[in-house]
Amino acid sequence: MVLDELWAALSGPSGATLACFLVAAALALHWSSHRTARGAAARARQRQQAALETMDKAAQRFRLQNPDLDSEALLALPLPQLVQKLHGGELSPEASLFTYLGKAWEVNKGTNCVTTYLADCETQLCQVPRQGLLYGVPVSLKECFSYKGQDSTLGLSLNEGAPAECDSVVVQVLKRQGALPFVYTNVPQSMFSYDCGNPLFGQTVNPWKSSKSPGGSSGGEGALIAAGGSPLGLGTDIGGSIRFPSAFCGICGLKPTGNRISKSGLKGCVYGQVAVQLSVGPMARDVESLALCLRALLCEDMFHLDPTVPPLPFREEVYTSSQPLRVGYYETDNYTMPTPAMTRALLETKKRLEAAGHTLVPFLPSNIPHALETLSTGGLFSDGGKSFLQNFKGDFVDPCLGDLISILRLPRWLKGLLAFMLRPLLPRLSAFLNSMKSRSAGKLWELHHEIEVYRHSVIAQWRAVELDVLLTPMLGPALDLNGPGKATGAVSYTLLYNCLDFPAGVVPVTTVTAEDEAQMEHYKGYFGDIWDKTLQKAVKKSVGLPVAVQCVALPWQEELCLRFMREVERLMTPERQPC
């Protein structure tokens, strides 16, 4: 009776008024809750614009003072030749820095890859150590590397206006090796995506085609380097974040073993997660540039500044060896169906390796679904996403994250219920949901032990067939913008090697053909779920875009991984510069 009277009252004019009031109040509350985020975004964009203007003025000033410098010739130099000319005095660090500064500004106009100018690189010119392996080389940095006086926002409003008090260890080592860190590059919000957009700086696009993603989370690096705006960059990788942008943009990138290069001073949004290892690694247009970067970083300075890093200098004899290799390979991981271009890239590379005298052996790591759905996802979200979600309070959520935030915000019981209900129809989504539930300390220790056992089992499998290295497909071509957030399962080719903590690098070997594109019409995926359907749509209209393969080695064998990558590069040698 009371409910009937209440309903009758709310159905009349007063009820309509009340409803309008409640809607208005909800909208006002929503607007107010995002006020801080809006302010942070406005300030970030203003600082970005001011930095870009400073870059442009500095580059123009240098050009006016040095009208005879052949900028195009300088930009065309491979990094090893650039270093040679800098050491020999044929080029000055000023010429190198300001030429790349101008090019980076130009590239940014079409890609939105640069977030800020590290202007004190100009003052560093007076004190660059000439004996350094990277003397006078401009180096771009993914925005997460702490740099004194600069914000590492990760695209999150709570990090805007919080400048670092000191340089991260790798930045200190770069400077001691004569490098000139000169720009920060864009990342997806929180860095937990293989796309590259955020509410502070907006969307970075692929330099080959602006409707395509550059990959992520080191997407700004991928776009800038591929388009010629930087000769060398540093990224990070916890699920493919160096390898996706390298593959999507047609450059080379290496994810080392987790602790080969110092992570001290990195900005993150979740600390203390050690089940799945984060790695710091180089990105460049060729493999020799990656090797040069590792030579420079793996030095006494790094080992002294961060004693937790094993003091393993670069092993030149492994990298320069020409001994035939015993190479494992697989055409598919049976989790993400490779696109026609991925399959062709893998098989063409296999054929040329065999013709060059290497031995190719079929090899597929065991139990890949368990490694992805239970070990990796469970490790990354053992607290149910609580620590991760803290970063988004009062903030906007970028579309690149897809439905991740909404899923993590579900209560534990609802995640479990949805996982149970989805299991018959959508087994992959069900498994991921189930692993995103929070767990006790005891269950987390059990998970760590499972990961350790799994790593040793794959190493034993590897040893049993006496492999040197492994060749695998690499996801490609680049997905449409915002596609990665809706194709989570496609991280399978990369995330596996973060779980295993094996070094892995990517090398571009071909481009998408019209025939590849036509064959995509028949692509179904292995599961026919939303991830497969999204991937099928997101890689269309890609003729001419780069496609890579992935090269893998056992832990601490970065030099062998690079030696294999160099061999693949030598045999395939595609044209990699976007128009």
Side-chain angles (χ1 to χ4, degrees), residues 169 172-173 176 299-309 311:
V169 166
Q172 294 180 58
V173 176
R176 294 186 188 192
C299 65
E300 287 303 320
D301 284 327
M302 187 175 72
F303 306 143
H304 174 74
L305 289 167
D306 186 356
T308 67
V309 173

Side-chain angles (χ1 to χ4, degrees), residues 204-280:
T204 298
V205 301
N206 194 302
W208 293 82
K209 190 173 185 179
S210 60
S211 63
K212 296 292 183 177
S213 170
S217 60
S218 310
E221 284 299 316
L224 182 64
I225 295 167
S230 172
L232 178 64
L234 281 185
T236 61
D237 190 312
I238 198 171
S241 292
I242 286 172
R243 290 161 289 165
F244 283 122
S246 296
F248 287 8
C249 295
I251 63 172
C252 300
L254 175 70
K255 178 207 82 71
T257 309
N259 206 34
R260 188 75 196 265
I261 297 174
S262 174
K263 293 175 276 192
S264 178
L266 286 191
K267 184 82 170 185
C269 61
V270 176
Y271 296 100
Q273 187 284 120
V274 296
V276 182
Q277 284 288 314
L278 172 76
S279 299
V280 170

Side-chain angles (χ1 to χ4, degrees), residues 162-364:
E165 295 181 1
C166 60
D167 292 344
S168 60
V169 166
V170 288
V171 169
Q172 294 180 58
V173 176
L174 284 171
K175 289 179 177 179
R176 294 186 188 192
Q177 287 284 16
L180 297 164
F182 75 118
V183 290
Y184 261 165
T185 55
N186 205 22
V187 298
Q189 188 180 26
S190 79
M191 302 195 298
F192 216 81
S193 168
Y194 67 104
D195 203 344
C196 194
N198 64 72
L200 297 188
F201 300 109
Q203 178 74 53
T204 298
V205 301
N206 194 302
W208 293 82
K209 190 173 185 179
S210 60
S211 63
K212 296 292 183 177
S213 170
S217 60
S218 310
E221 284 299 316
L224 182 64
I225 295 167
S230 172
L232 178 64
L234 281 185
T236 61
D237 190 312
I238 198 171
S241 292
I242 286 172
R243 290 161 289 165
F244 283 122
S246 296
F248 287 8
C249 295
I251 63 172
C252 300
L254 175 70
K255 178 207 82 71
T257 309
N259 206 34
R260 188 75 196 265
I261 297 174
S262 174
K263 293 175 276 192
S264 178
L266 286 191
K267 184 82 170 185
C269 61
V270 176
Y271 296 100
Q273 187 284 120
V274 296
V276 182
Q277 284 288 314
L278 172 76
S279 299
V280 170
M283 300 167 68
R285 281 171 284 182
D286 55 70
V287 177
E288 183 56 40
S289 299
L290 304 181
L292 176 59
C293 184
L294 251 66
R295 288 188 194 101
L297 291 176
L298 300 177
C299 65
E300 287 303 320
D301 284 327
M302 187 175 72
F303 306 143
H304 174 74
L305 289 167
D306 186 356
T308 67
V309 173
L312 300 172
F314 191 82
R315 291 166 291 184
E316 202 68 46
E317 71 282 2
V318 176
Y319 175 64
T320 57
S321 171
S322 58
Q323 290 294 315
L325 295 168
R326 187 171 171 84
V327 182
Y329 75 94
Y330 55 89
E331 295 178 39
T332 176
D333 62 5
N334 297 315
Y335 196 83
T336 300
M337 180 180 285
T339 64
M342 288 169 65
T343 299
R344 183 173 56 80
L346 189 287
L347 293 177
E348 287 180 1
T349 304
K350 171 184 175 286
K351 183 178 179 180
R352 294 198 189 183
L353 285 166
E354 287 175 324
H358 303 287
T359 302
L360 276 289
V361 182
F363 177 87
L364 183 67

Side-chain angles (χ1 to χ4, degrees), residues 447-479:
L447 182 73
H448 286 171
H449 179 62
E450 275 192 73
I451 292 172
E452 186 178 353
V453 169
Y454 179 67
R455 286 173 181 158
H456 285 293
S457 72
V458 174
I459 291 171
Q461 187 186 355
W462 181 299
R463 296 287 196 204
V465 289
E466 300 179 327
L467 297 184
D468 293 313
V469 289
L470 177 63
L471 176 70
T472 88
M474 176 62 206
L475 185 68
L479 277 64

Side-chain angles (χ1 to χ4, degrees), residues 5-194:
E5 290 178 3
L6 181 60
W7 176 251
L10 290 175
S11 300
S14 59
T17 303
L18 178 61
C20 290
F21 173 78
L22 291 173
V23 170
L27 289 172
L29 184 64
H30 177 79
W31 187 90
S32 177
S33 67
H34 287 97
R35 184 185 300 170
T36 302
R38 272 190 293 273
R43 290 189 299 272
R45 298 286 177 97
Q46 288 169 1
R47 276 204 295 269
Q48 180 189 33
Q49 191 57 42
L52 290 167
E53 289 174 4
T54 302
M55 283 174 64
D56 185 34
K57 288 176 182 176
Q60 286 191 42
R61 185 171 61 247
F62 181 80
R63 280 196 293 268
L64 288 172
Q65 295 169 351
N66 300 269
D68 296 330
L69 178 68
D70 189 342
S71 299
E72 293 303 315
L74 189 156
L75 292 168
L77 289 171
L79 180 57
Q81 291 182 28
L82 175 63
V83 169
Q84 187 177 15
K85 288 182 179 292
L86 286 163
H87 276 293
E90 295 176 60
L91 288 172
S92 67
E94 289 83 0
S96 174
L97 173 63
F98 290 110
T99 300
Y100 269 103
L101 202 59
K103 183 64 174 178
W105 180 85
E106 181 185 316
V107 168
N108 182 75
K109 287 192 296 181
T111 59
N112 187 39
C113 57
V114 174
T115 61
T116 199
Y117 173 39
L118 306 176
D120 73 334
C121 62
E122 296 183 43
T123 60
Q124 289 172 40
L125 284 167
C126 306
Q127 51 201 26
V128 181
R130 195 175 186 111
Q131 74 279 7
L133 291 180
L134 296 174
Y135 170 68
V137 175
V139 176
S140 49
L141 300 173
K142 185 177 183 178
E143 201 221 32
C144 61
F145 290 93
S146 295
Y147 195 99
K148 186 176 181 179
Q150 300 291 340
D151 294 349
S152 289
T153 68
L154 316 184
L156 295 160
S157 63
L158 84 166
N159 293 329
E160 189 274 331
E165 295 181 1
C166 60
D167 292 344
S168 60
V169 166
V170 288
V171 169
Q172 294 180 58
V173 176
L174 284 171
K175 289 179 177 179
R176 294 186 188 192
Q177 287 284 16
L180 297 164
F182 75 118
V183 290
Y184 261 165
T185 55
N186 205 22
V187 298
Q189 188 180 26
S190 79
M191 302 195 298
F192 216 81
S193 168
Y194 67 104

